Amino acid sequence: MAHFEPPVWLRRAEPTGGGWLLDLHVQPGARITETAGEHGGRLKLKIAAPPVDNKANVQILSWLSKQLGLPRSAVTLVRGESARLKTVLLTGMDDDQLRMQLEPLLNNKSKI
């Protein structure tokens, strides 16, 4: 397959391939959970859960896991627990799998 050129909001966790870091701008309390393009160099994610009692973070990680076809244990919040700007670590995917699974996110077609 062709070389994978990730969007600005996605980068390798380390040069040797220890997963991918996904930078998010999160808007909690939305009507539905969906991607909403880019915002400030991050993937904008509208989340239906409220930003209380860690509910939004739980929904973000579960939703990403489902959208990317990863086990929940492969999706970890590494930065921004109580902020709108979050970074999530994705593990267990090669470049081709990541490119295929990201397609709906890139085209703003991922909703639940």
Side-chain angles (χ1 to χ4, degrees), residues 31-35 48 59 62-64 66-67 109-112:
R31 186 175 56 83
I32 60 173
T33 297
E34 65 182 334
T35 56
Q59 186 173 19
S62 296
W63 186 84
L64 285 170
K66 180 180 177 184
Q67 294 299 314
K109 294 180 181 171
S110 293
K111 300 179 182 182
I112 60 170

Side-chain angles (χ1 to χ4, degrees), residues 49-94:
V52 294
D53 299 328
N54 208 33
K55 289 179 182 178
N57 290 335
V58 169
Q59 186 173 19
I60 290 165
L61 300 177
S62 296
W63 186 84
L64 285 170
S65 169
K66 180 180 177 184
Q67 294 299 314
L68 298 174
L70 291 170
R72 175 55 192 82
S73 60
V75 182
T76 309
L77 182 65
V78 294
R79 192 173 301 118
E81 185 174 327
S82 61
R84 286 181 180 247
L85 303 181
K86 300 184 183 296
T87 301
V88 174
L89 175 65
L90 308 172
T91 57
M93 301 179 90
D94 64 29

